[in-house]
Amino acid sequence: MKAGTMCEFSKKEFIEGLQSLGIDSLEKFREKIPYMRSELKDEQKFREIYNFAFNWAKEKGQKSLALDTAIGMWQLLFAERQWPLVDHWCQFLQARHNKAISRDTWSQLLEFAKTVGPNLTDYDAEGAWPYLIDEFVEYLNENGIIQNGQFSDSSLKR
């Protein structure tokens, strides 16, 4: 709908958004939801939605995204993508970071989730990851979540 602010839709945004989706009734809206969810499986579409979400969810006038909002957005966005480390990432942030999330961290986390497998064997400590992602990898190792390149946490989803 190209809403400028999270949870706020002007009448114009709402109507134009529905028209762009070809929706002119509640029934058509219901029918379109599975299609919209399936779009999240498309890599390019997911990237567009993920990048849009940062600006959409941050408070007006802020450069960063509030931690609680970022965590909620990651849990929502990765619900369809099923990044196995999302819950550990959120726990790590609450335990160790407790600050707003920068655009750089937001963007780089998607790259991390795409390029580094959940057992971290693809992780390069000398890579150009933001310090927060490097600290997250240390946290996983320190807490025994990753041991010898394997998950020790059976609760992870794939």
Side-chain angles (χ1 to χ4, degrees):
M1 304 249 180
K2 298 182 181 173
T5 306
M6 182 169 59
C7 299
E8 291 181 18
F9 297 96
S10 69
K11 184 176 181 178
K12 182 178 188 244
E13 288 170 338
F14 188 75
I15 291 170
E16 287 177 1
L18 290 177
Q19 287 173 341
S20 72
L21 292 169
I23 297 171
D24 60 8
S25 69
L26 191 53
E27 187 55 39
K28 284 186 181 177
F29 202 169
R30 284 189 191 108
E31 291 170 3
K32 197 72 158 180
I33 291 173
Y35 167 76
M36 291 187 293
R37 282 204 171 116
S38 74
E39 282 191 304
L40 292 173
K41 291 176 175 55
D42 177 81
E43 198 66 42
Q44 184 58 36
K45 192 60 140 176
F46 181 79
R47 181 180 294 278
E48 288 173 23
I49 292 167
Y50 183 89
N51 289 328
F52 172 81
F54 182 85
N55 283 332
W56 182 69
K58 69 182 174 66
E59 293 182 32
K60 290 179 185 174
Q62 298 297 312
K63 290 185 178 184
S64 298
L65 189 56
L67 180 62
D68 289 343
T69 303
I71 287 172
M73 292 302 294
W74 278 316
Q75 290 171 331
L76 179 66
L77 289 164
F78 285 115
E80 294 292 324
R81 299 291 293 192
Q82 302 232 337
W83 178 45
L85 297 174
V86 68
D87 290 336
H88 291 293
W89 170 249
C90 295
Q91 291 165 5
F92 158 75
L93 291 173
Q94 289 174 320
R96 301 259 182 104
H97 186 60
N98 209 18
K99 295 178 190 166
I101 301 299
S102 70
R103 173 175 282 290
D104 183 51
T105 298
W106 180 266
S107 299
Q108 289 297 309
L109 184 70
L110 180 58
E111 291 307 311
F112 180 81
K114 280 181 48 189
T115 60
V116 176
N119 59 6
L120 304 180
T121 55
D122 304 332
Y123 174 73
D124 178 8
E126 301 302 316
W129 298 113
Y131 81 95
L132 198 55
I133 291 176
D134 290 332
E135 287 182 5
F136 174 58
V137 171
E138 289 176 22
Y139 169 85
L140 293 173
N141 289 314
E142 287 170 5
N143 289 287
I145 297 163
I146 305 294
Q147 293 179 342
N148 302 322
Q150 298 292 320
F151 281 118
S152 61
D153 183 356
S154 60
S155 70
L156 291 176
K157 310 174 275 209
R158 191 89 170 106

